[in-house]
Amino acid sequence: MQVFQDIAGLRTHIARYRRDDQEIALVPTMGNLHAGHIALVKAAREACERVVVSIYVNPLQFGAGEDFDAYPRTLEADRQKLEAAGAHVLFAPSDREIYPQGREHSTTIDAPEALTHTLCGASRPGHFRGVTTVVAKLFNIVQPTVAVFGEKDFQQLRVIQRMTADLNLPIRILGLPTHREADGLAMSSRNGYLSAEERSNAPLLYAQLQWAAEQLRAGEIWDAIEAEGLKRLSGAGFVPDYFTLRDAENLQPLTGWQAGDAPARVLLAARLGQTRLIDNLSIS
Ligand code: PAF
């Protein structure tokens, strides 16, 4: 596996892949890799001959007071995991490479507000602008045929799919199911922030999503499920941000779901101590 910190070196290297007609899959990450990321790399390997993984903790997608400084940076351990997973290139740029004029002076990309100002975007203003801006840059730098993202960040996946379509980028976006710990907790780099007690409570999020799915399939209306769910979360020490039923494509709110309806998604965000956790489940 080749490691590049500069765009010029990376471009020269992957130009060779293109000359040999080899397609490239990109897996954008912020590092601190876990089994969920490695599953994305494996899917990328199945999709294309060459796999480029980027590791960049993107300052533009963190708000004031968020965990940008604390975000775990584990480059050497990540490099070893990627090597073992069969990635061909690791791109780990500096801020200067990505934001040559400083991030506050960067051109930015905004997906439509209907997708970005709701759910996580409502409590994290500017977050999705940061995500779409850096992902568009990575797409331009690597020019992959396929890019792979996890469904754990479901809203992010939909926002990136929309940006890619709206900007006519010739990139196929693959979304992969969430990887979970044995007790159901969605794998996330932020799980490492949890205390032992918080960690033992955290699987309640997934249990609650499963409960909501059962209630919906039994014909219960969403309002009643939401009210009960929020009460349960608060009772267990979470500070809920949202617990909501949405159309799985456009993320617009739904009031219920029954067999035969278009696919829906239950999405949930809650703070546990200092840690903000998100999860979601498909209803189809
Ligand atoms: O999901 C992430 O890790 C990040 O939001 C991404 C897509 C790598 C952009 O910084």
Side-chain angles (χ1 to χ4, degrees):
M1 185 177 75
Q2 301 273 325
V3 183
F4 295 95
Q5 271 149 357
D6 65 313
I7 296 171
L10 175 81
R11 280 195 165 133
T12 307
H13 184 77
I14 59 185
R16 276 188 231 133
Y17 296 159
R18 255 181 227 108
R19 270 201 302 276
D20 294 343
D21 275 340
Q22 294 178 328
E23 294 198 328
I24 299 166
L26 171 67
V27 185
T29 81
M30 298 205 298
N32 195 232
L33 304 179
H34 51 64
H37 293 112
I38 299 308
L40 302 184
V41 174
K42 298 225 160 102
R45 284 197 57 180
E46 281 164 25
C48 293
E49 285 104 323
R50 296 291 175 176
V51 174
V52 176
V53 180
S54 63
I55 294 184
Y56 178 61
V57 185
N58 170 35
L60 201 63
Q61 69 188 73
F62 289 80
E66 291 190 354
D67 56 343
F68 174 69
D69 290 331
Y71 203 88
R73 285 146 171 99
T74 52
L75 191 60
E76 180 46 29
D78 291 345
R79 192 192 62 72
Q80 288 174 23
K81 288 179 192 170
L82 291 173
E83 182 111 54
H88 301 97
V89 171
L90 165 58
F91 177 48
S94 65
D95 286 341
R96 241 190 122 70
E97 283 291 291
I98 298 295
Y99 298 109
Q101 309 293 327
R103 64 179 181 271
E104 56 288 352
H105 303 296
S106 177
T107 299
T108 53
I109 304 273
D110 283 300
E113 288 185 7
L115 282 179
T116 59
H117 284 207
T118 182
L119 302 170
C120 289
S123 53
R124 303 185 69 192
H127 169 66
F128 287 110
R129 170 179 299 145
V131 170
T132 41
T133 299
V134 82
V135 170
K137 283 168 172 282
L138 292 167
F139 283 1
N140 284 329
I141 294 165
V142 177
Q143 299 186 11
T145 311
V146 171
V148 190
F149 297 87
E151 284 189 350
K152 209 262 248 110
D153 297 294
F154 192 74
Q155 183 179 13
Q156 167 174 282
L157 175 64
R158 287 290 180 255
V159 167
I160 290 168
Q161 284 171 325
R162 181 65 189 268
M163 172 195 76
T164 306
D166 284 352
L167 298 182
N168 309 100
L169 301 176
I171 301 171
R172 186 158 61 91
I173 307 296
L174 268 186
L176 253 73
T178 302
H179 247 65
R180 298 183 180 281
E181 303 288 354
D183 58 12
L185 178 65
M187 288 189 186
S188 163
S189 302
R190 292 193 166 100
N191 292 349
Y193 299 153
L194 299 170
S195 69
E197 195 192 337
E198 289 163 353
R199 175 63 189 82
S200 67
N201 279 341
L204 182 74
L205 293 185
Y206 183 51
Q208 172 131 328
L209 290 171
Q210 290 176 306
W211 168 79
E214 278 163 28
Q215 297 290 306
L216 282 168
R217 290 192 186 108
E220 188 63 78
I221 57 160
W222 178 255
D223 273 0
I225 303 170
E226 181 180 3
E228 172 66 20
L230 290 172
K231 209 163 75 193
R232 287 181 184 199
L233 284 171
S234 305
F238 290 83
V239 180
D241 181 355
Y242 58 78
F243 175 47
T244 178
L245 177 68
R246 299 289 171 113
D247 179 293
E249 281 309 310
N250 60 24
L251 302 183
Q252 289 308 297
L254 298 175
T255 52
W257 185 87
Q258 51 192 18
D261 284 357
R265 204 96 190 173
V266 182
L267 301 109
L268 193 164
R271 196 167 282 280
L272 188 54
Q274 297 303 305
T275 311
R276 189 172 185 279
L277 298 172
I278 59 173
D279 202 350
N280 65 85
L281 194 64
S282 161
I283 314 288
S284 59

